[in-house]
Amino acid sequence: MKKIAMIAMVLVLALAAVSARDKIVSADQLPKTAQDFISANFAGKTVQYVEKDFNEFEVQLSDRTEIKFGGNGDWESVKSYEGIPAGVLPEAVTSYVQKNFADAKIVEAEKDWNSIELKLSNRMEVFFDKDGKYMGQKYDD
């Protein structure tokens, strides 16, 4: 009997853990910082869905742009094959890309606490520190 009770308890806990992950929520459940980010940088685009996974949010916009936000609403990654708007990144980063890769679009950006990594439409990966200082590049083969 104890084994059955223990198995039942484990199943209940496992189901609770699974159900707490990856929930589709409404756009108004995004942190205000994330809502403001979308309004400022993606005007005219609508939120198609928001997926909440623990304390992170994944958003898809009407143009298929994908944005990942931390629990506080700060963006962590942006992916857009139409090109990421200049206002998303520090001025030094967008200036460097425009000057050195004029024919390429920024299609993906990821940031963490100390760096920014870009993927360009010409398959280059370009790396910057958190302040926008160029750190290097490589061809994404």
Side-chain angles (χ1 to χ4, degrees):
M1 189 66 170
K2 283 185 177 182
K3 284 184 181 181
I4 293 174
M6 185 62 117
I7 291 172
M9 178 93 118
V10 168
L11 287 174
V12 167
L13 291 174
L15 288 173
V18 169
S19 67
R21 297 182 46 170
D22 297 342
K23 289 185 179 181
I24 302 299
V25 298
S26 64
D28 61 351
Q29 291 184 315
L30 284 168
K32 176 132 177 55
T33 306
Q35 292 178 30
D36 293 345
F37 175 85
I38 293 169
S39 296
N41 295 294
F42 298 95
K45 310 290 191 284
T46 57
V47 174
Q48 295 297 302
Y49 78 86
V50 177
E51 185 177 303
K52 183 176 182 183
D53 184 15
F54 292 109
N55 201 26
E56 294 183 335
F57 297 89
E58 293 180 20
V59 176
Q60 183 164 345
L61 304 180
S62 55
D63 66 347
R64 295 183 28 207
T65 294
E66 298 173 7
I67 309 168
K68 185 175 182 179
F69 295 100
N72 63 356
D74 288 340
W75 72 271
E76 296 176 352
S77 67
V78 180
K79 187 176 191 178
S80 175
Y81 291 107
E82 292 182 8
I84 295 172
V88 169
L89 299 163
E91 175 65 31
V93 171
T94 55
S95 294
Y96 183 90
V97 172
Q98 289 170 352
K99 180 180 177 188
N100 295 284
F101 302 100
D103 295 335
K105 294 179 187 176
I106 301 170
V107 294
E108 192 170 339
E110 291 183 34
K111 72 173 183 173
D112 59 24
W113 66 275
N114 70 344
S115 66
I116 299 170
E117 178 182 335
L118 305 180
K119 291 186 181 182
L120 307 180
S121 58
N122 64 0
R123 299 186 59 182
M124 289 298 294
E125 291 184 14
V126 188
F127 306 92
F128 299 87
D129 71 7
K130 66 179 178 174
D131 299 318
K133 180 182 173 197
Y134 173 77
M135 302 299 288
Q137 67 188 42
K138 71 175 187 173
Y139 185 72
D140 183 25
D141 52 354

